Amino acid sequence: MKENPTPIGVKKRLLIYLKVLKITFQIRPLAGVGFFVAASVEIASFIIAMFASAKIVSILAHYLANGNAEDLWLWFWIDIAMVISIALSNEIMAGCKRLIYFRFIIWSRKYYLDSVSKVDINAFYDTNFRNQINKTSMSYYWELSELAYANLDLIYGLMRLIAILMIVSQIQWWITPVIILFLLPTIFSESKRASLQWFINDSRGDDRQIIHKLERLLQNAVSLMEIKTLQLRSRAINIIHNLDKNFYKDQEEAYKYATRYVFASSVAGTLGITIGSAVLIFQVLGRSIGFDQYLFLSASLLRVEGSLVAIFGTLARTQEKINFADSFFAITNTKPIIVDFENAKNLNANTLPEIRFENVCFKYPEKRAVIFENLNLTIKKGEHIALVGENGAGKSTLIKLLLRLYKPDKGRITLDGVDINDIAIDSWYKKIATLFQDFNEYPASIRENVEIASKTKNDSKVRLENAAKLAGIDKMVNRFEHGWDTVLDSSFEKGTEPSGGQWQRVALARIFYRQGKVLILDEPTASIDAKAEYDIFNHIFKQYNEKTVIIVSHRFSTVRRADRIIVLDKGRIVEEGTHKKLMRNKNLYNELFTKQAEGYK
């Protein structure tokens, strides 16, 4: 392999194990305590059973020699009792681990999604953050659960090993360090192998993302229509196949590279036990220990290797999960930059703010092109404005800045004279209702798709019906057999497959239902026919006459009734005014409007 990953250090690895253990006791404390109590009982029972077995063999040997079998049945029943205790303890341990596993899945999903959804939008365009997302997005809800499960196995293995080492130390104090020394190469080689294979996941993160997206398209009825009719199926599958081949080819090379010394290290691991066994035999021959002691210590010695191998095996098995956890916590520890300052000001819930862009300069991070340079714009309270212009003019970027999804590089945006960065963001969001061109399609009923826009639980039926009427979905709802309970997904029992225009109307109803004081619409009717669009905009301009409305649209005919039309060109405001005024000016707006109108003739 030409590239070598940076391994996770021992200290960081230990911190991850401890963090997962801490979370375990936070989310399922009784199961955690139950596991360790059962583990302690199991280990004690195991040692007593091992001692009882040694006693039984020694007594039987003595019986064959002189016919005396004193205390044989006592040790027999002790042995049986310990076997039962071990079995019960193992069942309790397994049950506790399973309960922790299930709760960890619930915790991981909520914690991950909550953390990711708080991160700034710009973070998703950062290469490192995107790689972390690619590595964790498909398994964030169960990988950490498996690490928590293995973590308990590891701690149990360490507890068992310590108990056995206390017994083995009776042979010679130096036996244990020698055994560990000879087994260290095994863990290093296994760790190297897992680390290299995780590195492939990192270096080919974008490839895995392409595969996942294509997989979703190939399993969706709507997207399959285009794939089938454009004969893209084979091409899409071949793309997945080729990316898979390259990925697993690298995985195979990494595996072969890291496995070169595994066989040799495995052989070396047996030498420590061999030395310990030889010392023990010499002690028996020198009559320094009895036969029952030999049996007990010999069994313990053999179990040192088994315990160490189990521990090292668990460590090696969790190597990939440790790398995953490192990425998981890197994502969940990512803090948003765009946050409220201490003592941020809350906007008055009952008033409309005046919006101002004052000498705003902005370019997207890591991009060279400047979008705005000294942009100035004032939007009066209750004003209806339209932002128009060709693609790339800066219309949607202006909306993103207003929504505080990005910060201006220079200048400021104010609401009633207060810098938007000094305002509590939730108090601003409570005032607004937004609809983007790429709106969300929630896998729920029509009612839930609309009502999701409001936090209150006691919203009236009248409010819902008014929103439906404004968006033009009232008749559509009545046509469906299950009405408002119709699920907008045909794969459900009460489901249907809505058209793009129907989906857009539902999204519009969601915004109308929210009843925000500032309505922000970014290409809100791109999938709706011209007549329906005309009716919807008429409703907007009429019903929202006492609210601020900001509309971004490529269809010039829909914004003719706006109080003011802002014409953007390459990040600059080149014209503004009413439709009639701009048409008389015969500049860019007139040119664009005329060209578009000719296309409808």
Side-chain angles (χ1 to χ4, degrees), residues 47 281 336-337 473 534:
I47 292 172
I281 290 173
I337 298 172
I473 65 167
Y534 177 81

Side-chain angles (χ1 to χ4, degrees), residues 348-361:
N348 187 322
N350 299 316
T351 62
L352 274 173
E354 180 181 75
I355 301 166
R356 285 195 176 190
F357 287 73
E358 300 176 359
N359 297 313
V360 169
C361 299

Side-chain angles (χ1 to χ4, degrees), residues 8 16 108 112 132-145 147 198 318-331:
I8 295 177
I16 291 174
S108 297
Y112 181 89
Q132 302 284 28
I133 290 288
N134 288 344
K135 288 188 292 184
T136 57
S137 61
M138 298 301 294
S139 54
Y140 63 86
Y141 56 91
W142 58 266
E143 282 278 14
L144 214 60
S145 301
L147 178 59
W198 181 256
T318 58
Q319 173 64 50
E320 183 173 331
K321 302 186 187 308
I322 284 289
N323 282 303
F324 171 87
D326 188 43
S327 295
F328 180 96
F329 290 123
I331 290 173

Side-chain angles (χ1 to χ4, degrees), residues 167-417:
I167 299 170
V168 171
S169 62
Q170 297 178 45
I171 304 173
Q172 289 290 344
W173 68 267
W174 49 266
I175 292 296
T176 299
V178 168
I179 293 171
I180 294 174
L181 181 65
F182 278 107
L183 282 171
L184 281 178
T186 301
I187 183 58
F188 288 140
S189 57
E190 290 287 352
S191 176
K192 181 74 172 177
R193 179 161 60 187
S195 181
L196 278 169
Q197 290 184 284
W198 181 256
F199 178 65
I200 304 303
N201 280 326
D202 193 6
S203 63
R204 289 195 174 273
D206 283 348
D207 287 357
R208 307 309 296 168
Q209 191 71 357
I210 291 170
I211 289 174
H212 297 323
K213 287 184 177 180
L214 286 175
E215 282 179 327
R216 286 195 291 271
L217 290 175
L218 288 166
Q219 298 175 73
N220 181 274
V222 176
S223 56
L224 266 175
M225 290 191 293
E226 177 178 313
I227 290 172
K228 283 177 176 291
T229 56
L230 292 182
Q231 299 175 302
L232 302 177
R233 189 180 63 83
S234 297
R235 181 172 176 79
I237 292 172
N238 284 335
I239 290 173
I240 293 173
H241 179 64
N242 290 330
L243 289 175
D244 254 347
K245 282 201 304 184
N246 292 333
F247 176 78
Y248 286 105
K249 180 182 178 182
D250 287 352
Q251 287 277 19
E252 288 178 12
E253 289 179 2
Y255 183 85
K256 291 175 183 177
Y257 176 81
T259 309
R260 293 179 299 172
Y261 306 110
V262 170
F263 178 75
S265 63
S266 298
V267 173
T270 63
L271 295 178
I273 302 300
T274 302
I275 294 171
S277 298
V279 170
L280 196 56
I281 290 173
F282 277 117
Q283 288 181 337
V284 174
L285 294 176
R287 298 185 183 278
S288 59
I289 60 173
F291 186 53
D292 55 348
Q293 289 178 293
Y294 168 79
L295 291 172
F296 179 54
L297 293 174
S298 178
S300 300
L301 181 63
L302 291 174
R303 282 166 175 78
V304 170
E305 180 182 19
S307 297
L308 283 171
V309 169
I311 290 171
F312 289 160
T314 302
L315 286 170
R317 178 164 54 91
T318 58
Q319 173 64 50
E320 183 173 331
K321 302 186 187 308
I322 284 289
N323 282 303
F324 171 87
D326 188 43
S327 295
F328 180 96
F329 290 123
I331 290 173
T332 55
N333 290 336
T334 300
K335 304 300 181 185
I337 298 172
I338 302 175
V339 293
D340 290 339
F341 295 121
E342 190 175 355
N343 301 319
K345 183 177 179 180
N346 285 301
L347 292 172
N348 187 322
N350 299 316
T351 62
L352 274 173
E354 180 181 75
I355 301 166
R356 285 195 176 190
F357 287 73
E358 300 176 359
N359 297 313
V360 169
C361 299
F362 177 76
K363 72 178 184 65
Y364 286 102
E366 301 181 3
K367 300 291 184 182
R368 299 179 64 180
V370 175
I371 306 299
F372 296 128
E373 191 167 359
N374 296 320
L375 176 75
N376 288 281
L377 173 64
T378 298
I379 303 173
K380 298 175 183 178
K381 299 179 181 183
E383 187 177 18
H384 295 176
I385 75 161
L387 303 174
V388 300
E390 297 183 285
N391 289 334
K395 305 183 297 297
S396 293
T397 301
L398 188 148
I399 297 298
K400 291 173 185 176
L401 290 171
L402 178 58
L403 294 175
R404 227 177 108 182
L405 300 175
Y406 290 89
K407 280 186 176 182
D409 298 323
K410 292 181 182 178
R412 66 176 192 159
I413 302 168
T414 65
L415 303 176
D416 282 338

Side-chain angles (χ1 to χ4, degrees), residues 7 71 90 126 192 218 332 336 369 514 530 547 555 576 583:
D71 294 334
N90 280 325
D126 176 77
K192 181 74 172 177
L218 288 166
T332 55
R514 184 172 173 82
K547 297 182 180 182
R555 292 184 182 176
E576 58 180 298
M583 289 302 291

